[in-house]
Amino acid sequence: ARVYLANRRQGNAKVKSRGEVRGSGKKIWRQKGTGRARHGDRYAPIFVGGGVAHGPRGNKHVKRKMSRAMRRKALFASLSLKVKTGKLVVVDGLEKLSPKTKVMSQAIEAITKGERENLAIILSQNADLVKRSARNLSGVSLLSATKLNAYEILDTEILLMMKDAAKTIEETFLPKRSIKQEAPPPEPKREIKEKKAKTKPKIVTGKTKEKNK
């Protein structure tokens, strides 16, 4: 939640320094002889209407990063919490209703037993009619199954999930299991016969006989 809220900030707050305030740069009074403190123009930070010292400059970076594995764990932990508390309901057949706001409102009240404040509907990919009929309902927010995050789930009280959206969440956020292919059997080792080096006959000369003596 902290990472999501931090990334929503624009960080563009900016104030004017004394050099950016519009006005004359004339010295307000002479340097000596007045008994007052020495000053330059009237747009110094100590004067009313002057610039701001050490204020925000509009270039503050507040973006935070989170690994994909951590985002996945946070998402499924928040969904598990909704299941344990009984605040998550899987609904089938919403796309078959007539695309009218009144019909959708009656269906939601029948499912949630009148509790419609702070409610969210997780839409499947092909749910344009449901989106049109529920987007004007007060207290109802629409979430896409491919763009879910833990903060939006925890921020809602009741969560309605379309049946097809569960499969979309599984395909989008769960890691694809790699199919292990069977390794081919190892090739038989070829026996390498060592070749015996042929010894050359020694030639005995007269000099070698003298050395041996």
Side-chain angles (χ1 to χ4, degrees):
R2 182 172 62 91
V3 174
Y4 179 80
L5 292 176
N7 292 338
R8 286 179 62 181
R9 292 181 59 184
Q10 294 181 354
N12 55 359
K14 183 184 179 301
V15 294
K16 291 183 179 180
S17 63
R18 64 180 298 174
E20 296 172 337
V21 178
R22 184 179 179 182
S24 174
K26 181 183 177 181
K27 191 174 177 68
I28 52 178
W29 52 71
R30 61 185 183 177
Q31 181 79 356
K32 292 178 177 292
T34 61
R36 298 178 178 180
R38 52 194 174 187
H39 288 291
D41 56 36
R42 60 181 299 271
Y43 299 105
I46 64 173
F47 293 118
V48 177
V52 179
H54 311 295
R57 302 303 301 162
N59 55 1
K60 187 175 182 180
H61 298 286
V62 292
K63 299 294 182 182
R64 298 182 182 273
K65 293 182 179 179
M66 182 183 286
S67 64
R68 186 179 298 176
M70 291 180 66
R71 291 198 303 266
R72 187 187 300 122
K73 288 180 180 179
L75 174 63
F76 286 104
S78 59
L79 288 173
S80 300
L81 181 63
K82 290 293 182 183
V83 173
K84 290 180 181 178
T85 55
K87 299 296 183 179
L88 190 146
V89 182
V90 179
V91 184
D92 187 16
L94 283 180
E95 65 278 2
K96 297 178 182 179
L97 298 176
S98 58
K100 293 184 178 180
T101 305
K102 183 178 181 180
V103 177
M104 183 59 64
S105 176
Q106 293 174 352
I108 291 175
E109 288 182 358
I111 295 170
T112 60
K113 298 179 181 180
E115 298 179 6
R116 207 179 71 181
E117 294 183 1
N118 199 6
L119 181 140
I121 303 175
I122 301 178
L123 302 175
S124 58
Q125 292 182 343
N126 300 322
D128 294 335
L129 297 179
V130 179
K131 184 177 180 180
R132 289 179 184 178
S133 56
R135 62 187 176 184
N136 289 332
L137 293 174
S138 60
V140 177
S141 58
L142 304 177
L143 306 177
S144 176
T146 57
K147 299 178 182 179
L148 283 179
N149 59 74
Y151 176 78
E152 290 179 341
I153 292 173
L154 295 175
D155 192 43
T156 57
E157 185 68 24
I158 301 174
L159 200 62
L160 299 183
M161 182 187 296
M162 297 181 66
K163 190 176 180 180
D164 296 337
K167 187 176 181 181
T168 305
I169 293 172
E170 183 179 354
E171 294 176 352
T172 305
F173 296 101
L174 284 180
K176 296 180 180 179
R177 298 178 180 177
S178 58
I179 302 172
K180 295 183 179 180
Q181 297 180 355
E182 295 182 358
E187 296 181 357
K189 295 182 179 180
R190 296 179 181 178
E191 296 181 359
I192 301 173
K193 295 181 179 180
E194 296 182 358
K195 295 181 180 180
K196 295 182 179 180
K198 296 180 180 180
T199 56
K200 295 181 179 180
K202 293 182 179 181
I203 301 173
V204 180
T205 59
K207 293 181 180 181
T208 55
K209 287 181 180 180
E210 293 176 1
K211 287 181 180 180
N212 294 334
K213 289 180 181 180

